[in-house]
Structures are given as C-alpha cells and as structure tokens.
C-alpha cells in the first residue's frame, strides 16, 4: 500500500482533488504521496471536513457572549446555564447518505451528533430533527419519509435519548436531494467540559468502542459532491449504526470522564481515524504516532487505506494520562467495549502510521488539518424578488375553506405520524412535547428547563436569501420566547447547492450575512454548526436552507407556557403589526399555486422589543397561552391553539381590514398571539404602551368551533380531521 499503486491524475480526480490541490500536496510533502496519504488529504480537504468554500464567510458570525463557554471550532458549542452547569449542543447534516439509504443514513446521523455532544463530557438529553423532502407525488418521496423517520426513531429510541421536536416540509426542489439535519443537546458540569486537543508527549492514544469495518469509506468525500445518475452506486459509503453499542459507549465515556484519566477525546466521525487523530493533534499543536495493527477490526485483511478512512460508527479516540491505561481498560471492559492502545502523542507535529511493519503515513498534521485550501469563490448576490401586490382575488375563497385546506396541506398537516414514532418522553424530563413552538426539557433535579427549536423557511430564502437567513434566526428567537425562555445561542446547518456556481455561492453569502445581522441584533450568538454543500442532482439545486437550531433557558418551569389554553372566556391579544404580507406565503402557494413575491421583511429592533415584552408578561404570570405567528399567519396560529386546547375561539376582524384573507393568512413577522385572563388585559395594555409594542385585542376563547370574523363556524371535529388526516393517508399510500 506504500508504493504499489501509482498516483495518476485519474486517481487524484477520483479522490475529489483538483490538479491544483494535488500540486499543493506535492509541495507540502516534497514528494508524491502514497495511496493512504492521498486518501487522508482527500478526506481532510473535502468540503465536508475543511469548509474550504465557506470558511471565509463563516467568520462573519458573532460567536461570543458572556454566557458562551466555547464557540465554533470544537465538537459542539457550550453555553453557561447557571447552577454550575453548561448546555452542549450542535446540529449536523446527513443528507447524501439519507437519500441513498434512508434508514441507516438517518440513524447514523443521530449517532454521529450524539457523539459530538458526549465527547465533550455532556450527557445527551434531547434530539431534534429538521427534514426536507421532495414533492409528495414523487415516486421516491414516501419511501424516503418512511426510512428516515424510522431511522431517527430507531436509533434515538434504542439509545434512550428523547427526540423532542423538529420540523418537516416538502418541496419539489428536494426531489433529488433530501435534507436530514439532526440537533443534539447535552448537559455537563461547566467546569468539566472536555476538548479534542492532544497534549503531553508520550501520553497513550487509545481506541474505544466498536470494531472497524469497511462501511462508510469515503463518506466525507461523497458528501462533498453533487449527485448524478450513478448515485445509487455510492450505497457502500453509507455507514451502519448500532444504537445499543452507542448507549454503552456513552456510559463508558462519561464514567471515564468522571475520573482524572482523560486528556483529550474525539469521536471518529467523518473521515474516521484520520480526522480524529489529525484534528486532536492539530488543536493541541502536537503529533501522533499510530500502530494500525493494534486497531480492533471487524473484517479480515483490511488495508491501511481502509483502516484510516473507515467511517464505522460508535468509535472514539482518546488521549489518556500516561499510566492510566489499566484503569480506563477496566471501565470499557465492564461495558463490553473494545479498548486498544494504538499509539502515542509526539512532539513532531506529524501524523505517522505504521501497518505490517512499514510506515504507511508520514504527513505534517498542520498541513492536513489546518492548511486545506480556502477558496474565496466568486459569487453573484441574487436580486431580491419584487413584493407581491395582492388584490381582491385573494378574497374569492372563503376564509373557512382556506383554513381547512391549509391545515390539511403537506407543510401544515399534523406531524403526529412522525413524532409518535419517537420516544419523546424517555428520561422523564420532557415538559413541552412536540407540536408547540419549542420543546422544553427539564434540567434534571431542578425547576428550570432548556427550550429547543429548529427553524428555517426555505421558500423565503429562495426568494431573498439574506432576508430568509435573517428570518430563520428571528423565528427561532420567537419560538423560544413563546414558551417563556430567554434565548441564549444557536447552532446551524447551512444546506446549499454547488458553491462552484456563483449564483449558489451568492445564496450562501447572502444567507450568512442575514443570519449574522440577526444574531448581532438579538444578542444571540452562533456557537456551533455545520455546512453541507453540493446538495443538488444533475445541476438542480435544493432551495437554500440555512437551518437554525435555537437554545434558550426557562428559569421557572411553573411560569412556562405553551400554545394550549385551559379555560373559556380568555381574551386573545395580537402582538405586533399586521399589514397582511402574502408574498412567499403558504396561502398563495397552497390555494393559488403561486410561489411569488418577496418574503416578509424582518424588523430586528421590533423582534427584540416584542420578544422582551412577551417574555416579561409570561414571567409575570400574565399569559395563559402563547403562539408565535409564522406559516399560515394568524388564522393557522389560532386554529393550532384551538386544536391543542380542545376548545373553540372567535376572531373579530378589524372594521377596516381591507383584504380579509391577507389579514388572516399574511405572514408578517415579529408577531405573537396571547391568551390572557380578562382582568389582566389592562395591565398588559399598559406594559405594551410603555414598551412601544403594538397590541390589539382580536377575540376570545370558548365554545366548540373556530369562527373567523363573519365566516362559517368550523367545528373542532372538522378542524381536527383536516389537520390529522394528511400524513397517515399519505403514508398508507
């Protein structure tokens, strides 16, 4: 494997490297690489691992705040949540594998993001997912939905971590490339967070977990290229997961971390042993020597190339304090996991690997892990779409009919079919279940909670990526606020097409700029994330999808609210201005077949002002239920609150409303719907006036039907049938 394979331009291209990149490798090494070294450079310089097309622009994100303990650059972000604890969280993509093999692709996406969190010393407490599928009528979509949901549920349920929230939407732009983004959140002692920085010359490098097989080889490279008609041939690059082994690995690692044995720890994710060893050495400014003959193998006759590039799941690489090997070995033996000393930390700054008595790798760590090409690719910022100017035609459909059609549409229908396949109550700390604005998980043993949400509106991003990126951050901020949480930070997963096309690169740049602007205005930093590019097939890109995962803190769970009210006779208050913005709305798309106009503008000062007002009212005990307004506008929001509450409501239209359906279904931003007791309306009005927040009373709760102005009453039974029917009927096929 050292010199038996001649490195040809064709072989270089097969590894996803350009001629210029290969010339740079020759310059770094001062010689030709062997096949193993070529594979190492290929995976570490892949888009998936190096972020070579996005790194320049990712630097625009604000990443610091007094409560941020660790921002981007480690396995996950870390924020202080008080009482000596930290929340550790990140979102990752597993898009290409999930399109090729949906069950294992989604399952191993869950496994990988769990390892990113517990490798930092945190016990995982929650999972969320953000799924984008193609047109429901596409012949492949139903199979993909079934496999992905089963994979997420199968892995998360077996490993014993609740899947508590997320979102799922459909659009024909994802027909050839679905998105599976998974977020994990864990809790750790704030003074016991572990990092992936190899240190201490002579310290042992230890392999733990499952054995290494041939699955997943070149998964990172596959994730860094667009699909073509031969994509099915890439099935062998999809890893196979074992959640029961993962559960053992979590417990063993956390037990070991409670001792004083661990210097550094890194999961073997994309690029496997290669990335974990290179990244730990690079972050620590050290070198690593590996004995590949000591690596536990699942299959006979594996080559050095296969061992270094395998992406077999449920594996970790550790640096231990010298002399602590036996103590650590006993822990992993107790949990029936492989444990092998496979190398040591050196001061050489090089990754050296031996196999079969020969040196098969000898490369400088900094060049492999830190000196990958960084491209400032040319980009064309998209021209924002012109605003959509609605006219009286939008009112030709009755409001009650419009609402029922929207509630029964693929993007708004109940997701019960999905989340009932997830064990969202395991660990017994889930206090806000799927179906609301944000999930809430109790910080175990306390009366405080973490609020969690995933948000993005790709149709907005397609029309105006900057506004769409800004709106994704703002909506996550609203969703956390709506349950009474103080938003702390976000993770993200930036899903785009081929960055080598200036139009696609322009989408990415604009979205990052919009997100950055929102994060700064809202004091809501980015602490971790992932970039997934080349999401396209045969030159057809997905909608730009800068997915946001938000985390907030609920200081008192007794004051937390949800979207359900529990009594009749409450007043409904609308916070925020309503102009009836129908551009890019689901109303236009689902009822008129139009994907037209600009997305609603985002006023970040108003977002922050309105959110501060709503959180203050919730903390003061003045709010019985709250829902942020987003897809489908006011009418959909109040319908969802009625369904969650099991009670009806009446909405009064303003006397000079103009276009009725624009007011009911417009998607103006920075808005909330509050249900409050009648005797508190005056106090809320005083607070709103003092804060400069527009608020108007628009209705009340009661009865067993929803009445939108002068439209026909819609019984709760009819609402529920419309909302619940689509997914089960679709999946039964």
């Amino acid at each position: 494997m050292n010199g038996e394979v001649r490195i040809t331009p064709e072989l270089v291209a097969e590894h996803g490297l350009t001629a210029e990149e290969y010339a740079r490798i020759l310059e770094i090494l001062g010689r030709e690489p062997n096949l193993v070294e070529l594979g190492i450079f290929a995976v570490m310089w892949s888009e998936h691992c190096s972020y070579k097309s996005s790194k320049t622009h990712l630097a625009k994100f604000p990443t610091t705040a007094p409560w941020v303990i660790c921002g981007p650059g480690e396995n996950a972000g870390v924020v202080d949540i008080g009482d000596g604890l930290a929340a550790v969280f990140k979102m990752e993509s597993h898009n290409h594998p999930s399109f090729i093999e949906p069950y294992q692709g989604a399952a191993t996406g869950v496994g990988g993001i769990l390892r990113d969190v517990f490798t930092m010393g945190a016990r995982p407490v929650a999972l969320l997912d953000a799924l984008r599928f193609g047109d429901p009528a596409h012949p492949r979509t139903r199979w993909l939905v079934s496999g992905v949901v089963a994979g997420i549920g199968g892995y998360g349920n077996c490993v014993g971590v609740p899947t508590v929230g997320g979102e799922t939407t459909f659009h024909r732009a994802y027909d050839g490339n679905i998105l599976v983004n998974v977020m994990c959140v864990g809790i750790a002692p704030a003074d016991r967070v572990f990092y992936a920085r190899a240190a201490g010359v002579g310290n042992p490098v230890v392999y733990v977990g499952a054995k290494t097989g041939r699955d997943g080889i070149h998964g990172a490279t596959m994730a860094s290229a667009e699909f073509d008609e031969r994509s099915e041939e890439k099935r062998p690059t999809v890893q196979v997961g074992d959640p029961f082994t993962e559960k053992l690995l979590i417990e063993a690692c956390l037990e070991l971390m409670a001792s004083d044995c661990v210097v550094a720890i890194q999961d073997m994710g994309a690029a496997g042993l290669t990335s974990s060893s290179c990244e730990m050495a690079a972050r620590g400014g050290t070198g690593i020597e590996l004995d590949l003959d000591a690596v536990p193998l699942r299959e006979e006759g594996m080559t050095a190339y296969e061992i270094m590039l395998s992406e077999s799941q449920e594996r970790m690489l550790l640096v231990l304090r010298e002399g602590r090997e036996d103590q650590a070995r006993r822990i992993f033996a107790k949990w029936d996991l492989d444990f092998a000393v496979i190398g040591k930390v050196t001061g050489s700054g090089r990754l050296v690997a031996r196999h079969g008595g020969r040196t098969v790798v000898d490369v400088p760590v900094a060049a492999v892990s830190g000196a990958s090409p960084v491209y400032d690719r040319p980009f064309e910022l998209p021209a924002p779409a012109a605003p959509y100017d609605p006219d009286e035609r939008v009112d030709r459909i009755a409001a009650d009919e419009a609402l029922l059609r929207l509630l029964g549409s693929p993007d708004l229908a109940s997701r019960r079919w999905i989340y009932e396949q997830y064990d969202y109550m395991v660990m017994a700390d889930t206090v806000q279940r799927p179906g609301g604005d944000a999930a809430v998980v109790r910080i175990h043993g306390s009366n405080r909670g973490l609020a969690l949400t995933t948000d993005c509106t790709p149709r907005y991003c397609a029309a105006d990526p900057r506004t769409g990126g800004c709106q994704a951050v703002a909506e996550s901020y609203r969703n956390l606020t709506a349950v009474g949480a103080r938003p702390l930070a976000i993770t993200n997963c930036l899903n785009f097409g081929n960055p080598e096309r200036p139009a696609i690169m322009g989408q990415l740049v604009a979205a990052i700029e919009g997100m950055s602007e929102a994060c700064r205005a809202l004091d809501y930093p980015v602490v971790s994330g992932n970039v997934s590019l080349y999401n396209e097939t045969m030159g057809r890109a997905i909608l730009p999808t800068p997915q946001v995962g938000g985390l907030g803190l609920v200081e008192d769970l007794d004051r937390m609210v949800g979207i359900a009210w529990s009594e009749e006779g409450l007043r409904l208050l609308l916070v925020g201005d309503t102009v009836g913005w129908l551009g890019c709305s689901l109303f236009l798309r689902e009822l008129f077949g139009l994907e037209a106009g600009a997305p609603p503008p985002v006023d970040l000062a108003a977002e922050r002002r309105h959110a501060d007002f709503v959180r203050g009212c919730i903390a003061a005990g003045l709010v019985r239920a709250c829902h942020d307004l987003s897809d489908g506008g006011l009418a959909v929001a109040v319908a969802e609150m009625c369904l969650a509450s099991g009670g009806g409501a009446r909405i009064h239209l303003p006397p000079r409303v103009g276009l009725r359906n624009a007011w009911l279904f417009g998607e103006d931003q920075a808005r909330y719907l509050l249900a409050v007791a009648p005797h508190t309306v005056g106090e809320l009005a005083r607070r709103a006036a003092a804060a400069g927040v527009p608020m108007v009373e628009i209705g009340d709760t009661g009865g067993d039907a929803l009445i939108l102005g002068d439209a026909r009453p819609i019984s709760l039974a009819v609402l529920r049938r419309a909302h619940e029917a689509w997914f089960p009927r679709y999946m039964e096929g």
Side-chain angles (χ1 to χ4, degrees):
M1 192 55 71
N2 288 320
E4 302 123 352
V5 176
R6 189 170 68 89
I7 306 301
T8 65
E10 293 76 19
L11 189 60
V12 170
E14 286 177 14
H15 279 73
L17 293 164
T18 66
E20 293 77 16
E21 288 170 344
Y22 184 65
R24 188 166 176 174
I25 292 169
L26 294 178
E27 182 182 343
I28 288 168
L29 295 180
R31 59 174 172 81
E32 281 198 350
N34 62 43
L35 182 61
V36 186
E37 293 167 336
L38 180 69
I40 286 172
F41 274 101
V43 294
M44 293 303 294
W45 286 13
S46 69
E47 192 72 59
H48 188 76
C49 290
S50 73
Y51 296 169
K52 57 191 176 186
S53 296
S54 58
K55 192 175 293 185
T56 297
H57 301 283
L58 295 176
K60 299 171 184 176
F61 283 137
T63 59
T64 60
W67 52 89
V68 174
I69 295 172
C70 177
E74 278 287 342
N75 286 294
V78 187
V79 295
D80 192 327
I81 56 173
D83 290 351
L85 298 175
V88 180
F89 68 112
K90 188 182 182 183
M91 180 183 286
E92 279 269 11
S93 62
H94 232 221
N95 303 334
H96 284 46
S98 298
F99 184 77
I100 294 170
E101 178 22 73
Y103 185 94
Q104 290 296 347
T108 51
V110 174
I113 197 65
L114 284 165
R115 291 192 297 279
D116 278 341
V117 167
F118 75 75
T119 192
M120 299 193 72
R123 177 170 293 281
V125 298
L127 291 162
L128 297 90
D129 55 67
L131 312 177
R132 311 288 174 184
F133 296 105
D135 186 341
H138 190 280
R140 191 181 176 95
T141 299
R142 186 181 292 107
W143 175 72
L144 288 167
V145 173
S146 179
V148 165
V149 171
I152 291 170
Y155 204 101
N157 295 353
C158 291
V159 83
V161 178
T163 301
V164 296
E167 57 181 339
T168 302
T169 61
F170 297 83
H171 192 280
R172 62 184 180 279
Y174 303 101
D175 282 349
N177 197 125
I178 65 172
L179 301 184
V180 176
N181 296 173
V182 185
M183 175 177 168
C184 181
V185 182
I187 296 177
D191 60 351
R192 295 284 292 171
V193 175
F194 289 80
Y195 300 100
R197 301 169 189 167
V201 172
N203 277 337
V205 175
V206 174
Y207 172 119
V208 300
K211 289 180 167 59
T212 294
R214 291 187 170 95
D215 52 320
I217 294 173
H218 275 304
T221 308
M222 181 266 288
S224 304
E226 64 181 82
F227 282 151
D228 55 29
E229 69 275 2
R230 300 177 60 192
S231 295
E232 285 296 321
E233 297 175 13
K234 297 177 181 177
R235 192 177 297 271
T237 63
V238 179
Q239 311 94 322
V240 178
D242 179 355
F244 299 105
T245 298
E246 182 100 341
K247 174 61 176 173
L248 299 176
L249 190 59
I250 291 172
E251 299 304 331
C253 287
L254 292 179
E255 182 176 341
L256 182 67
M257 289 167 171
S259 68
D260 194 31
C261 295
V262 179
V263 174
I265 181 169
Q266 172 77 43
D267 90 285
M268 294 192 218
L273 185 55
T274 290
S275 63
S276 55
S277 55
C278 287
E279 289 172 3
M280 280 208 298
R283 288 172 182 152
T286 59
I288 282 184
E289 289 185 3
L290 297 176
D291 176 10
L292 301 186
D293 294 316
V295 173
L297 301 179
R298 195 171 67 226
E299 304 176 48
E300 294 182 1
M302 289 186 67
T303 65
Y305 182 94
E306 291 169 330
I307 295 169
M308 289 299 296
L309 299 183
S310 168
E311 294 185 9
S312 293
Q313 297 291 286
E314 294 86 41
R315 302 179 302 157
M316 308 286 279
L317 196 66
L318 291 78
V319 175
L320 299 180
R321 299 189 191 283
E322 194 170 7
R324 299 295 184 89
E325 296 93 327
D326 287 342
Q327 180 182 354
R329 183 180 284 108
R330 285 193 295 271
I331 290 173
F332 283 89
K334 183 182 80 172
W335 292 100
D336 198 24
L337 294 167
D338 277 289
F339 177 101
V341 177
I342 65 167
K344 64 181 180 180
V345 177
T346 69
S348 68
R350 301 184 73 82
L351 172 65
V352 178
R354 296 181 175 85
H355 186 243
R358 296 182 298 178
T359 298
V360 293
V361 177
D362 187 352
V363 296
V365 165
V368 172
S369 187
S372 58
V374 177
Y375 295 124
D376 190 1
R377 297 195 184 277
F379 60 87
E380 298 170 359
L381 291 176
Y388 175 77
D389 186 17
D391 57 34
E392 69 280 355
R393 285 174 293 182
V394 302
D395 277 349
R396 290 178 184 172
I397 183 169
D400 55 309
E401 180 187 347
L403 177 59
L404 291 172
R405 286 174 59 182
L406 278 172
L407 283 179
S409 67
D411 277 11
L412 288 177
S414 169
R415 269 51 184 150
R416 185 185 305 276
W417 183 91
I418 294 178
Y419 65 71
E420 286 192 343
Q421 297 186 53
Y422 303 156
D423 189 346
Y424 50 81
M425 294 302 293
V426 66
M427 300 177 74
D429 278 323
T430 305
V431 292
Q432 188 92 249
R433 304 180 181 191
D437 284 317
V440 180
V441 176
R442 182 187 302 275
I443 298 170
H444 193 73
S446 77
N447 199 42
R448 303 187 308 136
L450 295 179
L452 313 167
T453 182
T454 61
D455 295 285
C456 184
T457 310
R459 64 183 186 277
Y460 291 176
C461 299
D464 183 343
R466 185 183 180 101
T467 298
C470 185
Q471 189 273 341
V473 173
E475 185 172 352
S476 78
Y477 193 83
R478 285 200 306 274
N479 280 329
L480 298 176
T481 294
V483 299
R486 177 170 64 92
L488 294 179
I490 71 167
T491 182
N492 60 47
C493 194
L494 307 179
N495 306 273
F496 291 81
N498 184 344
E500 296 168 47
R501 294 200 281 144
I504 299 296
M505 194 65 208
Q507 292 177 343
L508 175 62
V509 172
I512 288 174
E513 290 177 349
M515 296 171 74
S516 300
E517 181 187 6
C519 289
R520 286 191 175 88
L522 300 174
D523 205 9
Y524 193 35
V526 178
V527 297
S528 60
N530 169 239
V531 180
S532 176
L533 303 180
Y534 296 94
N535 287 292
E536 56 182 74
T537 299
M538 305 294 288
R540 294 188 299 274
I542 62 165
L543 300 182
T545 311
Q547 192 71 45
V548 171
L551 179 142
L553 182 64
V554 179
E555 291 287 2
D556 182 358
L557 290 176
D558 291 335
R559 290 290 170 90
M560 176 193 73
V561 299
I563 68 171
W565 58 72
S566 59
E567 57 196 293
E568 296 191 348
L570 299 178
R571 300 292 188 263
L572 296 175
L573 306 179
L574 177 60
V575 174
D577 287 318
T578 299
V579 300
W581 193 280
L582 286 179
C584 282
S585 67
L586 280 183
F587 175 85
L588 273 192
R589 192 182 82 187
E590 295 298 325
L591 283 94
F592 292 87
L594 294 176
E595 296 189 29
V602 180
D603 181 338
L604 291 168
E607 289 282 3
R608 185 158 188 173
R609 187 167 59 251
H610 298 181
D612 289 347
F613 165 74
V614 169
R615 276 196 307 277
C617 292
I618 292 172
L622 298 172
V623 178
R624 303 291 176 83
C626 178
H627 199 356
D628 100 295
L629 271 61
S630 54
D631 288 347
L634 170 63
V636 167
V638 71
E640 290 172 341
M641 295 179 83
C642 287
L643 289 169
S645 307
R650 177 184 288 274
I651 298 297
H652 308 293
L653 272 64
R656 290 179 294 278
V657 71
L659 296 172
R660 177 199 66 232
N661 283 342
W663 191 81
L664 286 170
F665 300 102
E667 296 179 5
D668 306 273
Q669 300 294 290
R671 297 189 301 163
Y672 302 82
L673 187 59
L674 312 180
V676 306
H679 70 274
T680 63
V681 171
E683 173 63 17
L684 282 151
R686 285 189 290 275
R687 286 172 174 252
V693 173
M695 186 181 74
V696 61
E697 184 174 338
I698 61 163
D700 49 53
T701 70
D704 60 0
L706 173 58
I707 305 173
L708 302 174
D710 58 1
R712 290 184 300 259
I714 313 170
S715 73
L716 283 182
V718 170
L719 270 181
R720 198 171 303 282
R721 279 199 300 272
H723 192 48
E724 298 280 354
W726 186 84
F727 239 110
R729 186 171 63 236
Y730 174 69
M731 295 310 298
E732 288 167 5

